[in-house]
Amino acid sequence: MSDQHSRPAARPGRSHREDRLTVGVVGTGYVGLTSAACLAHLGHRVTGVDIDADKVALLRRGEVPIAEPGLGELVNARLADGSLSFTTDLAGLATAEVVLLCVPTPVHSDGTTDLRAFDAAVETLSDVLDRDCVVVIKSTVPVGTTERTARALGRATVSNPEFLREGHAVHDFLNPDRIVIGATEATAADRVAALYEGVSAPVLRTEPASSELGKYASNAFLALKVSYVNVLTELSERLGAEVIDVAETMRLDPRIGTAFLSPGPGWGGSCLPKDTRALLHAAKQAGVDFAVLADAMAANRRQHERVVEKVREAVTGSPDGSLAGLRLGLLGLTFKAGTDDVRESPALAVAALLAEAGAVLTGYDPGVDRTADVRPVHVVDDPTLVAKDSAGLVLLTEWPQFRALDWAQLAELADRPTVVDARNLLEAEAVTRAGFAYHRLGR
């Protein structure tokens, strides 16, 4: 979602060196698999462990079940040279010098974190690991979890949060903005730092609580930024301003920065929603009134409704028009382009509200297979099927491929050639020349 940064690439591997580490990675989901493959790429000998036998079988064959650029190639290369392996048996970590915990830590609607999978992994590891093994927590966990885990395991435990963007995970691991190491023991911190030898990035050494809170603080601030620009989008429409120019005015201020200033249907995905809820819960538990964060979350929910209002007026000609029975085509279902992830996708939040208003929805997304169960949307594998007989198209995910669609053909197929661009992605002149009435945010 944020801009790609240009940094020196990490060295291509150092498997010939004597200082490589024996590393275990518990959990081969998005973070775990990326971490395992990238650490093997950096020259370490890595074993990935997962309780899902089917997933492990796939990975052993070099089949990566995650749509992430470069990850499949990296996994296969490291499997081939023997630096990466996968197993379902935690006993395979008995000789590991470092073990990374990358298990899911979902957050409930009230902001509490579900640590059952995490705690189960910790309990199992206590009887497996060598006494000198350093445990590294990459899962996003509440403040205090690292110290609690260290007591449970009776060994050095370090907080080392991940800052990976979906669609750029391999790049981000090998070319990070920063490496944060939260530890109470210098020798344990040194060993974690050695994992990243060959990676060019500032290293922040701190205590575990600051490292844990820093992860939540970073994601919550990005959510604040997106909510801020989305409220500015509504204000721009009310005052006759152009939000693209307003955002560009902000981007040119180095104190603000360029990223996360694009209007859209709201923020979502696997990280920002759960981390903002968790941080707000932590603030309440600590007796801190974090009203600005609560307001950002409310603004995000309001943004879904605003997009529906925009669609309603565009396709019916009235802010009070009925969507009942109207066929609408959705372009984009994932929470962002470049991924197949629909978790807490703002596109689906908007879709749910449109369906609630009675609209019949057909959707196309380059990252979502037509067999996917993405209710209330009927998924198709051809964008022309989205346009056919539609009362309007709604662009909800910023896939660059959508700019190159044959918009003249889509206009001929549509019953009412109208498009609401909730990402301000398209070139207005090209779309209107093709025959569409074009509506976007913030103007």
Side-chain angles (χ1 to χ4, degrees):
M1 289 185 289
S2 58
D3 295 343
Q4 189 84 343
H5 300 286
S6 177
R7 298 185 195 82
R11 67 181 67 174
R14 54 184 182 88
S15 59
H16 63 285
R17 295 175 58 125
E18 295 181 356
D19 57 349
R20 66 177 180 176
L21 294 168
T22 302
V23 181
V25 177
V26 180
T28 59
Y30 187 84
V31 173
L33 185 56
T34 302
S35 300
C38 288
L39 289 173
H41 177 73
L42 291 174
H44 304 293
R45 185 176 296 279
V46 183
T47 300
V49 182
D50 202 291
I51 61 173
D52 186 336
D54 291 337
K55 181 191 290 187
V56 168
L58 284 175
L59 292 173
R60 284 174 170 172
R61 296 195 299 267
E63 299 177 27
V64 174
I66 300 171
E68 184 61 42
L71 183 57
E73 294 85 345
L74 208 57
V75 168
N76 277 277
R78 302 289 73 85
L79 285 171
D81 68 19
S83 60
L84 178 63
S85 62
F86 298 98
T87 181
T88 58
D89 189 1
L90 280 171
L93 305 183
T95 61
E97 298 166 276
V98 181
V99 167
L100 277 59
L101 290 175
C102 303
V103 297
T105 53
V107 174
H108 299 300
S109 59
D110 64 355
T112 56
T113 303
D114 186 346
L115 292 172
R116 286 177 295 178
F118 180 90
D119 289 339
V122 169
E123 183 177 358
T124 306
L125 284 172
S126 63
D127 297 325
V128 171
L129 302 182
D130 181 83
R131 63 179 300 173
D132 294 325
C133 178
V134 174
V135 173
V136 179
I137 298 178
K138 278 210 162 291
S139 301
T140 303
V141 293
V143 175
T145 303
T146 300
E147 291 189 1
R148 179 172 68 83
T149 303
R151 291 193 300 269
L153 291 174
R155 71 188 68 245
T157 304
V158 176
S159 169
N160 176 222
E162 53 84 17
F163 298 97
L164 306 179
R165 298 168 300 163
E166 293 194 37
H168 302 282
V170 171
H171 176 276
D172 289 351
F173 192 100
L174 298 175
N175 301 272
D177 292 297
R178 72 284 204 198
I179 297 168
V180 180
I181 300 174
T184 57
E185 299 179 23
T187 54
D190 290 341
R191 189 174 298 180
V192 175
L195 289 173
Y196 299 96
E197 184 181 340
V199 173
S200 178
V203 177
L204 172 62
R205 296 194 184 206
T206 184
E207 75 282 356
S210 295
S211 175
E212 292 163 334
L213 184 57
K215 170 61 187 289
Y216 287 115
S218 295
N219 278 349
F221 183 75
L222 298 179
L224 284 169
K225 257 184 118 172
V226 178
S227 285
Y228 182 80
V229 79
N230 280 336
V231 174
L232 279 179
T233 299
E234 182 175 11
L235 186 61
S236 295
E237 293 177 0
R238 299 282 182 90
L239 299 181
E242 170 57 77
V243 75
I244 292 176
D245 295 336
V246 174
E248 186 62 19
T249 302
M250 297 168 64
R251 286 190 183 96
L252 293 173
D253 188 331
R255 297 170 301 174
I256 296 175
T258 61
F260 287 79
L261 289 177
S262 297
W267 40 266
S270 62
C271 292
L272 266 60
K274 78 179 185 68
D275 289 354
T276 51
R277 289 197 297 268
L279 183 57
L280 188 60
H281 174 75
K284 288 179 179 177
Q285 293 294 103
V288 174
D289 183 5
F290 211 151
V292 66
L293 185 57
D295 288 344
M297 296 168 69
N300 194 54
R301 293 189 293 270
R302 164 65 181 152
Q303 189 65 7
H304 305 153
E305 298 167 358
R306 277 223 333 117
V307 172
V308 172
E309 291 169 3
K310 193 96 172 174
V311 172
R312 185 189 301 276
E313 186 161 8
V315 302
T316 71
S318 168
D320 300 317
S322 173
L323 297 176
L326 291 185
R327 185 176 183 277
L328 299 179
L330 308 183
L331 292 171
L333 302 170
T334 54
F335 87 94
K336 61 178 282 189
T339 179
D340 59 355
D341 196 347
V342 296
R343 286 176 291 179
E344 300 215 37
S345 170
L348 295 185
V350 171
L353 292 176
L354 290 170
E356 187 178 307
V360 179
L361 306 176
T362 302
Y364 167 76
D365 189 296
V368 179
D369 188 87
R370 67 182 180 85
T371 62
D373 183 6
V374 189
R375 299 175 189 176
V377 184
H378 172 63
V379 182
V380 295
D381 57 5
D382 186 335
T384 61
L385 298 177
V386 168
K388 184 173 171 50
D389 300 327
S390 69
L393 300 181
V394 189
L395 194 155
L396 292 168
T397 310
E398 72 284 14
W399 288 95
Q401 296 94 311
F402 292 156
R403 291 195 187 101
L405 293 177
D406 187 338
W407 285 95
Q409 180 190 20
L410 297 182
E412 291 178 2
L413 291 169
D415 183 43
R416 305 176 199 174
T418 299
V419 60
V420 176
D421 184 355
R423 293 285 185 173
N424 290 1
L425 176 76
L426 305 175
E427 296 180 10
E429 184 178 347
V431 176
T432 54
R433 189 169 57 245
F436 273 92
Y438 179 66
H439 306 264
R440 65 176 178 81
L441 303 184
R443 181 184 179 121

